[in-house]
Amino acid sequence: MYRHFGEVDAAETSPLYERVAIALSESDEALHAIEAAPTRKWHPTVILAALHDLALAGRAPALAAAYAAADGDAAAGAAVDTLLRMTDSVVAIAVRRQTLTNETGRCAVLYPAIAEAARRVGANAVGLIDVGCSAGLNLNVDRVGITYSNGQSLGDASSPVQLSSSIVGGRPIPTRAMPEVVARVGVDLDPVDVTDADDARWMRACLWPDQPERVARLEAEMALAATSPPLLLQGDAVEVVSEAFARVPADALPVVTTTWALSHFSLESRLRFLRCLDEAAAGRAVAWVSVEGVGVAPTIPTLGDRRASGHSIIGLAVFDRSTLRAEAIGRCWSQGRLLAWLADS
């Protein structure tokens, strides 16, 4: 697993982690130390993030220095040494934490979909509820600037966070602005608070050290989120989403977003989640924007695409009392870096 990660997953994007992962794969002692963690925590992204966290915390200075210098050979030796010396600490971090992707390309997909949901309902204000929110960075979707490869742009051109996405196919993205956001609520089993030093460090630790552009983008996103932190609710989505709806003013459209979150739910839980949305719509319209793998989001058409086909379906479902209208409005690849819009607007 570690050799495959180094030679395949990290080879083209992170020479540093390529070298570190292969070094771990070649050390019987290191592999034995990794086995001290629960099996579900053996994956390289988990262990490497735990090691990175120790480096960022100043507890593994040799590893931190090697990462800062982007010295693969030094990093390989320091990573093995740190793991062997601090096995208990690495395992404790791995057990306590969930790896985070924090891919900001999601906003390039979410912005036009949320604006489309508001248009269909005729809403002048929306309340955002992000399920599986992690640190809630998606909840700032209206506060970032987005540029598409066809020259279109959305959001705040003056924002310190600027994103880009490539358009696939000839259909342009709708350019209507998202209405005012009057509530931002995140729901997660283990939400991350960007204003907490340990949580913020863990978010940095989940990035690969030799990808400075991603690091700089995350720093900008965390700083933006810290200026107006969202409300984060901890718990199972099915259990606490009703509380999230209660935080959205009555005159605003609640827009629930899920981005690659439902794949972690059982089919039964996905259906219960759908029922929760339907129940919330008994008194007012509710919209759900989903960005999930093909066939993952209940009621969202698959367009005849095969499961595990390498792309995701962008779905829009509007619950309005006894009526449900569900449609696939687009496809996306690479966490939103590539986007194909399908809906008529």
Side-chain angles (χ1 to χ4, degrees):
M1 180 166 59
Y2 276 75
R3 177 169 292 280
H4 182 274
F5 179 86
E7 294 179 346
V8 177
D9 297 336
E12 295 185 3
T13 55
S14 178
L16 197 66
Y17 268 6
E18 175 187 12
R19 186 69 191 89
V20 170
I22 291 174
L24 292 173
S25 78
E26 293 174 343
S27 168
D28 291 340
E29 294 86 354
L31 295 178
H32 181 69
I34 292 168
E35 289 177 343
T39 307
R40 70 183 189 281
K41 298 291 187 175
W42 288 0
H43 195 274
T45 55
V46 180
I47 299 301
L48 291 173
L51 287 167
H52 194 191
D53 188 74
L54 291 173
L56 292 173
R59 299 173 62 190
L63 184 60
Y67 281 170
D71 185 335
D73 289 337
V80 171
D81 178 67
T82 301
L83 177 60
L84 296 182
R85 286 189 304 102
M86 306 181 71
T87 300
D88 290 346
S89 296
V90 172
V91 170
I93 294 170
V95 168
R96 185 167 63 93
R97 294 291 194 177
Q98 301 291 329
T99 51
L100 308 172
T101 54
N102 303 305
E103 291 296 344
T104 53
R106 302 177 188 200
C107 289
V109 174
L110 290 174
Y111 191 111
I114 295 169
E116 178 65 14
R119 181 191 73 84
R120 294 188 180 190
V121 176
N124 295 317
V126 296
L128 302 180
I129 300 172
D130 190 33
V131 172
C133 67
S134 184
L137 300 184
N138 288 345
L139 293 166
N140 286 316
V141 57
D142 60 315
R143 303 176 67 200
V144 306
I146 309 164
T147 302
Y148 298 94
S149 60
N150 62 357
Q152 291 181 283
S153 61
L154 289 171
D156 183 358
S158 65
S159 172
V161 179
Q162 295 295 317
L163 314 176
S164 62
S165 180
S166 296
I167 300 298
V168 177
R171 190 183 292 268
I173 302 297
T175 55
R176 70 181 54 84
M178 187 186 305
E180 180 186 6
V181 178
V182 296
R184 305 173 197 271
V185 185
V187 176
D188 200 286
L189 287 172
D190 187 21
V192 177
D193 180 0
V194 297
T195 65
D196 179 87
D198 289 344
D199 281 1
R201 186 180 66 245
W202 176 247
M203 291 183 70
R204 297 181 180 98
C206 289
L207 296 183
W208 299 2
D210 53 347
Q211 296 182 337
E213 290 184 1
R214 289 184 67 194
V215 173
R217 192 168 59 209
L218 176 63
E219 294 291 348
E221 283 233 324
M222 289 198 298
L224 180 64
T227 62
S228 181
L231 172 65
L232 301 178
L233 302 179
Q234 183 172 14
D236 183 281
V238 175
E239 304 297 332
V240 302
V241 74
S242 59
E243 181 182 349
F245 279 115
R247 304 302 181 106
V248 178
D251 58 350
L253 171 69
V255 181
V256 178
T257 58
T258 63
T259 55
W260 300 285
L262 294 188
S263 58
H264 301 289
F265 289 33
S266 66
L267 176 58
E268 179 185 0
S269 292
R270 287 180 232 167
L271 295 175
R272 289 175 59 204
F273 172 71
L274 194 69
R275 286 196 295 272
C276 288
L277 302 185
D278 188 47
E279 290 168 2
R284 60 174 169 177
V286 169
W288 170 34
V289 171
S290 61
V291 188
E292 304 286 351
V294 177
V296 172
T299 78
I300 301 299
T302 61
L303 305 172
D305 299 346
R306 297 193 307 271
R307 290 177 180 268
S309 56
H311 68 271
S312 299
I313 300 288
I314 307 164
L316 173 56
V318 176
F319 303 77
D320 195 354
R321 295 175 175 84
S322 60
T323 303
L324 167 62
R325 290 168 289 163
E327 181 183 345
I329 60 174
R331 296 183 177 95
C332 71
W333 296 257
S334 300
Q335 303 283 326
R337 295 187 187 92
L338 299 168
L339 169 61
W341 191 262
L342 303 176
D344 295 322
S345 300

